[in-house]
Amino acid sequence: NMPFTTNGDQQDSKPVCKVISVAPITVNIITIDTPVTISGINTDWLGEILDFFELNADGAGTVRYVGDSTASFRLSARVTVSPIAKLLTVYLAKNGVTQTSSRWTGDATKGATYNPEDVLTLSPGDYISLQVENNEGTQDVTGLFANMNIIPA
């Protein structure tokens, strides 16, 4: 590993990679209680940081680990949604599989913020994403903004 230095070459023991959405996202919900990947997350400006963490973003909502060996990352996300009179749940996902330990559920009637987090061990080629599900119907989730912090565990 190469050192991650800032602030006059003071080593930062916990460098952070941020993955964000830069415009409101609409997630199309087809089936009640079925997680859907949040796409539209922009990572173009994070090239150097993504390289440092050995991550590769596809712009469709997934971030792939491209390192040579297994690594663990602490993931924390913040997802905000416009008002929708429904109960919603947000998750982190690994390789498209919902990580139920990251579950964050809440009423979005007045808009809401969800903060799923987890520690995931990734092997080369594994990818991570955020998912949202509507627990009370098939109404789309609109006005969604998302960011995800990725920190070596």
Side-chain angles (χ1 to χ4, degrees):
N1 285 341
M2 60 185 225
F4 185 85
T5 56
T6 58
N7 300 327
D9 292 330
Q10 295 295 317
Q11 186 166 350
D12 184 347
S13 62
K14 293 291 183 186
V16 176
C17 177
K18 281 190 176 278
V19 181
I20 63 169
S21 62
V22 294
I25 298 168
T26 295
V27 177
N28 297 317
I29 304 295
I30 297 173
T31 307
I32 189 172
D33 291 330
T34 303
V36 177
T37 298
I38 299 170
S39 60
I41 295 176
N42 183 354
T43 56
D44 293 342
W45 63 277
L46 293 170
E48 291 178 19
I49 297 296
L50 286 170
D51 289 345
F52 175 77
F53 284 105
E54 300 181 303
L55 299 169
N56 199 348
D58 66 5
T62 62
V63 177
R64 186 173 303 278
Y65 175 63
V66 295
D68 294 329
S69 59
T70 300
S72 293
F73 294 92
R74 174 171 293 285
L75 306 168
S76 62
R78 178 181 175 101
V79 176
T80 58
V81 297
S82 294
I84 175 175
K86 301 292 180 191
L87 188 67
L88 302 178
T89 301
V90 176
Y91 302 94
L92 293 163
K94 174 182 169 183
N95 296 328
V97 177
T98 302
Q99 303 299 297
T100 55
S101 57
S102 69
R103 176 186 199 121
W104 192 282
T105 301
D107 181 0
T109 301
K110 295 181 181 179
T113 299
Y114 303 85
N115 298 291
E117 60 181 49
D118 209 345
V119 174
L120 298 178
T121 299
L122 304 178
S123 297
D126 284 349
Y127 65 92
I128 52 178
S129 59
L130 288 167
Q131 297 178 332
V132 62
E133 70 182 10
N134 185 332
N135 303 118
E136 296 183 329
T138 57
Q139 183 177 352
D140 292 345
V141 179
T142 60
L144 185 146
F145 284 89
N147 71 56
M148 182 169 41
N149 294 323
I150 305 169
I151 304 169

